[in-house]
Amino acid sequence: MTGTIFDIKEFSLHDGPGARTTVFLKGCPLRCRWCHNPEGISPRPQLMVIESRCRHCGLCVQGCGHADCQPFHRCLHACPDHLVRVAGYEISAETLAEILLKNRDFFKTCNGGVTLSGGEPLMQPEFALELLQKLQGVHTAVETCGHARPEVFAAVIAAVDFVLLDMKLIDEQEHLAQTGVGNRLIVENFRQLKRSGKPYVIRTPLIPGITDTPDNLRGIQALIGDAPWEQLPYNTMAGAKYPQLGLTYALK
């Protein structure tokens, strides 16, 4: 089975226990106004161009015969400054597992493993589950927004050793306004996770004036109780990649 990913980052120290390799899967059901991985939102590969450094030489738009360029109507290889690229590519679970398992000994030394992130990895559940099956013997984790069918959520958390679950906004209407979806599925899946006995941590990005308000933080605290809770600082560089995708960052 193949899936679509947009990055593999080695030696990640913030995506679960120990030093890890994080695989970023394409596709997300949320549209968070502060998203710092906009290239992970669409499930399909996307053209990214650093227009701010472009010389406007025209080489990339002259046409070419490269098969990988044809879907984008732009040459991916002609830019002298390497400003044109594609975010996202298909890969089989078997091939990806082979790449990841090359670091098996390193994971054991550093008490680390592999984390599936995104995007939202539960948008590709069959691919994620096949990959996790092939990674048996390696510590695995999933970083998820929690907005997935309960049966999908249950299947994936059962297949990993550790879960990082986002809890952004406690108010249903505010969650809808800021992320494009309500939070009922997320709350339901959190309660399922708590009952499962699976080790986990809750994560809240502290977006100024949106998620970092006292009312929101008190509400999340009331829901999660004494669960481990990481409050993550706002990424001030979150908007940098939007122009490369032809998008506008919603926050200023």
Side-chain angles (χ1 to χ4, degrees):
M1 174 176 290
T2 63
T4 305
I5 68 174
F6 65 94
D7 202 1
I8 301 174
K9 288 188 177 178
E10 297 184 332
F11 205 74
S12 172
L13 301 176
H14 305 289
D15 295 327
R20 313 186 67 80
T21 296
T22 302
V23 181
F24 294 85
L25 282 71
K26 287 274 281 174
C28 184
L30 273 59
R31 297 295 183 268
C32 301
R33 298 177 64 223
W34 56 86
C35 180
H36 66 276
N37 281 334
E39 72 275 39
I41 297 174
S42 169
R44 296 178 297 277
Q46 294 168 280
L47 188 70
M48 294 187 74
V49 183
I50 305 177
E51 297 282 4
S52 61
R53 291 169 48 197
C54 180
R55 304 182 190 182
H56 303 288
C57 64
L59 292 175
C60 67
V61 296
Q62 289 180 6
C64 68
H66 305 124
D68 57 331
C69 304
Q70 302 314 305
F72 306 100
H73 308 291
R74 200 156 183 170
C75 184
L76 307 175
H77 312 286
C79 180
D81 298 312
H82 308 290
L83 305 181
V84 181
R85 69 181 181 92
V86 172
Y89 58 94
E90 288 191 2
I91 189 170
S92 71
E94 182 175 2
T95 298
L96 181 53
E98 289 175 358
I99 294 170
L100 298 171
L101 288 172
K102 290 178 181 179
N103 289 329
R104 187 199 301 265
D105 292 340
F106 172 76
F107 296 146
K108 291 179 180 178
T109 301
C110 298
N111 297 314
V114 173
T115 297
L116 304 187
S117 186
E120 171 49 59
L122 273 62
M123 287 277 285
Q124 300 184 59
E126 293 87 1
F127 174 70
L129 287 169
E130 183 174 327
L131 176 62
L132 291 166
Q133 176 68 27
K134 295 180 182 299
L135 294 176
Q136 286 190 2
V138 171
H139 187 280
T140 55
V142 63
E143 183 176 9
T144 174
C145 71
H147 188 84
R149 298 193 312 274
E151 62 271 21
V152 168
F153 187 84
V156 174
I157 68 169
V160 298
D161 300 298
F162 190 79
V163 179
L164 303 99
L165 176 64
D166 289 356
M167 190 70 64
K168 300 176 175 72
L169 289 154
I170 198 66
D171 181 81
E172 169 83 9
Q173 291 305 311
E174 185 66 7
H175 199 285
L176 177 62
Q178 299 292 344
T179 73
V181 302
N183 65 357
R184 292 182 185 179
L185 270 178
I186 297 168
V187 171
E188 179 180 350
N189 284 329
F190 162 69
R191 290 175 173 148
Q192 179 183 182
L193 175 61
K194 191 173 183 179
R195 292 191 302 267
S196 74
K198 186 75 62 174
Y200 68 92
V201 63
I202 301 300
R203 285 183 154 185
T204 301
L206 297 177
I207 312 304
I210 300 176
T211 67
D212 69 347
T213 66
D215 284 349
N216 185 54
L217 296 178
R218 279 194 297 265
I220 293 175
Q221 181 73 79
L223 173 66
I224 68 174
D226 60 357
W229 187 20
E230 295 180 357
Q231 298 178 32
L232 308 177
Y234 174 55
N235 181 0
T236 58
M237 297 298 294
K241 290 185 281 189
Y242 281 72
Q244 299 177 34
L245 292 160
L247 303 174
T248 300
Y249 187 52
L251 301 185
K252 301 299 181 183

